[in-house]
Amino acid sequence: MSSVLIIGAGGVGGVVTHKCTQVPEVFSEIVLASRTLEKCERIKGQLSKPIRTAQVDADRTEEVIALIRKFSPNLVINVALPYQDLTIMEACLATGVHYLDTANYEPPEMATFSYKWQWDFHDRFQKRGIMALLGCGFDPGVVNVYCAYAWHHFDEIHTIDIMDCNAGSHGHPFATNFNPEINIREVTQRGKYYEEGQWIETDPLAVHKTFDFPQIGPREMYLMYHEELESLVKFIPGIKRMRFWMTFSEAYLTHLRVLENVGMTRIDPVRYQGMDIVPLQFLKALLPDPGSLGVNYTGKTNIGCLIEGIKDGKPRKYYVYNVCDHAECYREVKAQAISYTTGVPAMLGAKLMLTGVWKGEGVFNIEQLDPDPFMAQIGQYGLPWTEVFY
Ligand code: NDP
C-alpha cells in the first residue's frame, strides 16, 4: 500500500490519475496537484474513487517540498512540463522521495532535448538512497523497454528505427497532441540520428520515407531527433545506427511551415506594445488544449521499433509495436491516445517501483531496468504489443 503524488493535471496527468485509481492495491492514496486547481478538480470529478487535490507552482522547489511534506507520498510522478523536472527532482532529494517522469528537462530559453542535466543528479540520488526513473511514457518509455526486451531475440543489435505513427483525426485544422510548446519545439529543431559512432544532422523534416503500418496502412514518416536516442545509444551496446521517425499529414506540415515562416514558432522574446512576448507561448494560447481533443478523436496510433541484428550467427529483423485507438481511450479515461499511451506506462513504472520490482539508487533510464515484468503487465493495463520476425 503506497501513496503517490502526481504533479500536472493536463492530458497525461488525467490518464495517470485514472489508471492509478484502477490499481488500488498499490496506489492506496493518490494526490493530484497542478498549477491550476480547477483542472485537478475536473479530473477528480471523472473518477469513481476518491483522491486528494492541491495547487502547486512546481517551478518553485520550496512549494514542492511543502507539498511533499504535507502529503508524505512514497513517489512523485511528474507529468507537468519538462521545465519543472529539475525543481521537482530537487524537492524529491530534499524529502527523500522517489521520482518518475515522462520527458527530459528542457531549459525554457533553448530547445536541447538532452538528459545531461538530469543525469547530473545521479550521485546525489544515489547518496540519498532514492531512485529517479526518467522517460517512462511511450516514446521515450515503452519503446526503450522494447529495445531492452529485444535482447531476448538477438546476440547483436545493429540498427534500431523507432517509428511513431498517429493516423487519428481530431477534426481541427491544426492542433498538437501534447503540450503545443514542447511539441512544436521538438518538430522544428534540426533532425539528428546516430550512425557508426557519430551524430549526423539533417535539416528539419528533410528526410522522409513511406512505411506500411499494421492496422493503419502506408504513411509518410519523417526523421527527427528525439530524446530517447541519447540514452539508447548509451545503454544498447554495439548499436551501429539509431533513428527516430514520426508521421505527419500534409495539412499539419503546411500549417507548421506557415507558422515558422511568419515567426510564430520562435522561443525568444519579442517586444510588443511594451511587453515581452514569446511567439510560441502566444501560439499555445490560441491552439486547442490537447486535453480537449479526445472527445471527437477517431483513428489509431501505431508506435514501435524495427530492429535488425544477429541471432545464432544469422541476420534477423524484428518489429515490435502497439496499436492504440483514440475513441476507445476516450471511452475509458476521457483522453486521446497520445495522452493514454504516455499515462499508462507512467502508472506501470510507478507500480513496479513501489512494489520493489524495479529498484535502484540513483538516476535511471527505463532501458537500464529489467524489461520482462513491464512487458508482462503493460498489455493488461491497455497497451498490448505484437512482435513480428522477418
Ligand atoms: P499539458 O500541457 O496538457 O499538461 C501539463 C500540465 O502541467 C498542465 O496541467 C499545467 O498546468 C501543468 N503545469 C505546467 N507548469 C506547471 C507548474 N509550474 N507547476 C505545476 N503544474 C504545472 O501536457 P501533457 O499532459 O500533454 O504532457 C505532460 C508531460 O508529458 C509533458 O512533459 C510532455 O512532454 C510529456 N509527454 C511525454 C510523452 C512520451 O511519450 N514520453 C508523450 C506526450 C507527452 P496549467 O493547466 O495550469 O497550465
Side-chain angles (χ1 to χ4, degrees):
M1 303 287 266
S2 313
S3 129
V4 69
L5 168 62
I6 300 161
I7 303 184
V12 178
V15 177
V16 180
T17 311
H18 273 267
K19 284 290 174 181
C20 287
T21 61
Q22 292 174 11
V23 191
E25 64 280 15
V26 176
F27 304 101
S28 47
E29 284 222 36
I30 300 166
V31 180
L32 174 61
S34 197
R35 186 165 53 189
T36 312
L37 185 63
E38 298 79 71
K39 294 204 179 172
C40 304
E41 294 297 329
R42 200 178 62 211
I43 293 167
K44 184 181 178 177
Q46 298 167 353
L47 305 167
S48 52
K49 302 228 168 64
I51 63 161
R52 288 187 287 173
T53 57
Q55 195 277 332
V56 70
D57 179 357
D59 284 324
R60 301 168 65 88
T61 303
E62 335 72 78
E63 282 196 26
V64 185
I65 291 175
L67 184 72
I68 294 176
R69 294 217 166 109
K70 181 169 176 200
F71 292 103
S72 305
N74 303 96
L75 179 130
V76 175
I77 299 180
N78 167 18
V79 280
L81 295 181
Y83 312 123
Q84 283 84 50
D85 287 5
L86 303 190
T87 46
I88 298 176
M89 287 177 84
E90 285 290 356
C92 286
L93 272 171
T95 50
V97 172
H98 300 304
Y99 169 90
L100 178 151
D101 70 26
T102 66
N104 71 279
Y105 170 69
E106 275 291 284
E109 64 291 347
M110 58 175 175
T112 61
F113 296 97
S114 164
Y115 281 115
K116 174 191 160 344
W117 291 276
Q118 291 183 277
W119 284 342
D120 284 349
F121 276 71
H122 179 75
D123 291 350
R124 293 168 70 206
F125 267 70
Q126 194 173 45
K127 236 184 241 157
R128 193 73 165 87
I130 54 173
M131 178 175 182
L133 178 55
L134 308 183
C136 192
F138 206 102
D139 43 343
V142 176
V143 295
N144 304 52
V145 178
Y146 286 166
C147 294
Y149 185 77
W151 283 116
H152 287 299
H153 306 304
F154 287 95
D155 299 321
E156 293 173 30
I157 292 181
H158 292 168
T159 68
I160 298 176
D161 284 291
I162 301 167
M163 300 183 296
D164 178 328
C165 171
N166 179 8
S169 165
H170 45 56
H172 294 268
F174 184 79
T176 63
N177 294 292
F178 63 98
N179 185 274
E181 209 184 316
I182 302 298
N183 183 236
I184 291 174
R185 278 164 77 119
E186 192 175 274
V187 176
T188 53
Q189 67 177 331
R190 285 178 68 71
K192 194 164 77 169
Y193 66 99
Y194 178 85
E195 189 156 37
E196 302 290 359
Q198 285 187 37
W199 288 101
I200 298 160
E201 282 203 17
T202 68
D203 285 337
L205 309 181
V207 178
H208 53 103
K209 63 177 176 178
T210 308
F211 186 78
D212 192 358
F213 289 92
Q215 296 190 45
I216 287 173
R219 286 287 186 283
E220 202 62 8
M221 58 180 194
Y222 295 78
L223 188 144
M224 283 172 50
Y225 181 68
H226 223 239
E227 66 208 62
E228 59 267 37
L229 299 183
E230 185 185 20
S231 67
L232 285 166
V233 161
K234 186 167 164 178
F235 297 121
I236 302 287
I239 188 78
K240 295 180 196 307
R241 191 188 67 205
M242 173 107 61
R243 300 180 295 194
F244 179 93
W245 307 83
M246 192 177 272
T247 63
F248 298 103
S249 66
E250 261 311 309
Y252 178 96
L253 292 176
T254 305
H255 277 84
L256 190 66
R257 219 170 287 130
V258 174
L259 291 168
E260 259 192 297
N261 287 343
V262 299
M264 280 301 290
T265 60
R266 283 171 57 174
I267 60 174
D268 55 316
V270 173
R271 200 85 189 143
Y272 177 71
Q273 294 193 342
M275 287 166 69
D276 279 339
I277 289 179
V278 175
L280 184 54
Q281 287 173 1
F282 179 68
L283 176 63
K284 174 180 182 276
L286 300 178
L287 291 176
D289 175 358
S292 71
L293 297 178
V295 62
N296 293 317
Y297 223 132
T298 55
K300 290 177 177 164
T301 62
N302 177 324
I303 315 175
C305 299
L306 187 63
I307 300 175
E308 292 186 52
I310 304 285
K311 180 70 178 173
D312 298 329
K314 294 197 197 98
R316 170 173 275 185
K317 194 168 171 181
Y318 168 75
Y319 179 37
V320 53
Y321 64 90
N322 162 262
V323 174
C324 196
D325 184 288
H326 287 286
E328 277 174 24
C329 297
Y330 191 76
R331 271 195 292 279
E332 186 194 330
V333 296
K334 300 264 177 291
Q336 33 88 348
I338 306 302
S339 304
Y340 190 88
T341 54
T342 310
V344 172
M347 181 283 290
L348 179 54
K351 177 187 167 185
L352 295 176
M353 285 171 71
L354 288 171
T355 51
V357 177
W358 277 354
K359 51 181 178 237
E361 292 175 356
V363 173
F364 297 86
N365 289 84
I366 193 166
E367 64 271 31
Q368 294 177 266
L369 306 170
D370 179 5
D372 292 357
F374 186 95
M375 291 295 268
Q377 294 184 44
I378 190 76
Q380 92 192 51
Y381 292 119
L383 298 176
W385 45 277
T386 304
E387 52 185 4
V388 183
F389 295 90
Y390 301 90

